[in-house]
Amino acid sequence: MVPSTPPQAATATAQRFGGPAPCNPERTLRAALETAPWQRHELRSCADLMDAARSLGVETQLLRVPAQASEAQMRSMMSAHFAELDRLLVVAHGPAGGTGKLHRAARSAGLPVLGAEPQAIATAYDKLLCRQRLSFRNLPVPRSVALSADRAASLRALEQLGWPAVLKPRRGAAGAGVMLLGSPRDLDALASLEPELLVERRMLGREISVVLLDGALLGMAEVTREIGPGGSKLRSVTVPPKLDPIARRGLANVAVRAARELGLDAGPTCVDLILSPRDNEVILEVEPLPPVHRDSLVARVARAEGLSYPELFARVFSGPRAPRASQGSRPRAR
């Protein structure tokens, strides 16, 4: 199941963003978010998963749900479309999935949806709530400032944070909207977007993505990224990363603890960490619904660990699921 966007809107945003880079930082950030870069991952994930299912003789159905639909509308669409099924997988990496809305709708429809609890997904997707939860549990997260309407207070907090810094949408995916900041002056044109923005101290070190499946370690990858006008773009992936056993064990322990504290115990999860030159681990973010197409980080790590893509599909679809409602309590398909 993948959320959809009206073709007219998608075309308009693509054309607007495809021209010369705007000089206004607010316009740049809005354009990066409006192009919804996670959608191409959703479509690829659906196509590849259905292909893997066919290779295993498993029958699948696809439902595209409008991303802006209400929870009640989503529930009605699911109830009508999925009259009989064994398992339901939500393939949505942007806001429709990250807010937990699709999972809540599926559960309220009495469908056997795979994955973590909706609230656990929503907490991990919200970088501010995620970092607050992890910090409370003594897990390492970056020093960050949530921008507020009190401009003076935000600037005082930012001066203590230090420069250069990285700006990120509080809720976002696929690196959309990530920007480098050199000084407080770079924030002057972004006031209307607060308080949906976080600023964190830019950290130096190696970025390691730890991939978990049902809360257990699957493997790791080292990634390099480049931050430009459109956000953060993945440039290279090394699987497996060159790590000594102590560093690997430390990264795995932190990632597994983070997923456990957030309640992400079902399905694939990516925990992105920075390994500093002093071998200290810091959690950048936790992806509760990472892409799962053949070229995704999850699939690359699985291959490095000896798991073919059809085998990964089988593992994902055999994971924990919400209990199916009885026929008496489940809304009838129409």
Side-chain angles (χ1 to χ4, degrees):
M1 180 169 57
V2 58
S4 61
T5 298
Q8 296 86 351
T11 302
T13 54
Q15 289 175 344
R16 181 168 63 252
F17 194 63
C23 59
N24 185 297
E26 180 179 344
R27 192 179 305 162
T28 301
L29 182 55
R30 287 190 184 278
L33 296 175
E34 288 173 0
T35 53
W38 48 83
Q39 286 185 342
R40 65 178 182 272
H41 294 296
E42 293 170 347
L43 296 173
R44 290 187 63 191
S45 292
C46 283
D48 288 350
L49 288 170
M50 294 179 75
D51 183 63
R54 283 192 293 269
S55 72
L56 296 174
V58 176
E59 182 181 350
T60 59
Q61 296 180 43
L62 173 66
L63 173 64
R64 297 192 65 179
V65 180
Q68 302 305 319
S70 68
E71 230 171 275
Q73 291 170 325
M74 291 179 173
R75 180 173 63 249
S76 178
M77 291 180 67
M78 294 181 207
S79 297
H81 188 80
F82 297 119
E84 295 294 335
L85 78 166
D86 295 320
R87 298 170 190 272
L88 173 65
L89 179 68
V90 173
V91 183
H93 316 307
T99 57
K101 186 165 67 171
L102 281 165
H103 282 80
R104 282 194 301 272
R107 284 174 178 259
S108 65
L111 297 172
V113 60
L114 295 158
E117 293 282 344
Q119 187 55 50
I121 294 170
T123 299
Y125 188 73
D126 184 326
K127 294 180 180 67
L128 178 60
L129 290 181
C130 179
R131 290 176 180 182
Q132 288 174 340
R133 176 73 60 85
L134 296 179
S135 178
F136 182 75
R137 295 296 184 177
N138 295 317
L139 283 161
V141 295
R143 291 179 57 198
S144 53
V145 173
L147 300 183
S148 69
D150 188 339
R151 192 90 176 148
S154 292
L155 289 174
R156 285 194 298 270
L158 289 170
E159 287 303 327
Q160 295 178 3
L161 186 70
W163 304 93
V166 178
L167 178 140
K168 296 179 178 180
R170 178 173 167 176
R171 301 172 185 86
V178 177
M179 299 173 63
L180 281 177
L181 303 176
S183 73
R185 291 190 299 275
D186 295 336
L187 291 171
D188 291 343
L190 299 172
S192 66
L193 296 178
E194 301 164 359
E196 293 302 314
L197 299 174
L198 294 180
V199 179
E200 66 184 41
R201 179 71 179 270
R202 190 180 188 188
M203 304 190 64
L204 300 178
R206 302 168 63 189
E207 183 174 344
I208 307 294
S209 287
V210 180
V211 179
L212 308 176
L213 190 56
D214 299 333
L217 178 66
L218 179 60
M220 302 181 188
E222 181 170 0
V223 302
T224 60
R225 304 181 192 272
E226 181 180 355
I227 300 178
S232 175
K233 306 294 184 183
L234 192 65
R235 290 306 177 198
S236 68
V237 178
T238 302
V239 184
K242 294 181 179 179
L243 295 167
D244 63 64
I246 295 176
R248 179 181 171 86
R249 187 161 54 247
L251 289 161
N253 288 340
V254 171
V256 169
R257 280 188 60 202
R260 184 171 62 243
E261 295 296 345
L262 293 169
L264 300 175
D265 54 359
T269 302
C270 283
V271 183
D272 296 335
L273 303 102
I274 286 289
L275 184 63
S276 74
R278 295 184 178 181
D279 290 338
N280 295 320
E281 310 97 351
V282 178
I283 301 168
L284 287 178
E285 61 183 274
V286 180
E287 274 191 278
L289 298 172
V292 287
H293 53 76
R294 290 182 183 273
D295 293 326
S296 67
L297 204 61
V298 173
R300 294 188 198 189
V301 167
R303 282 197 297 271
E305 297 298 321
L307 205 62
S308 69
Y309 189 73
E311 289 172 330
L312 174 64
F313 164 88
R315 287 277 300 274
V316 169
F317 270 79
S318 64
R321 56 181 171 170
R324 188 187 184 100
S326 64
Q327 290 297 323
S329 61
R330 180 173 174 264
R332 290 184 174 274
R334 289 181 282 180

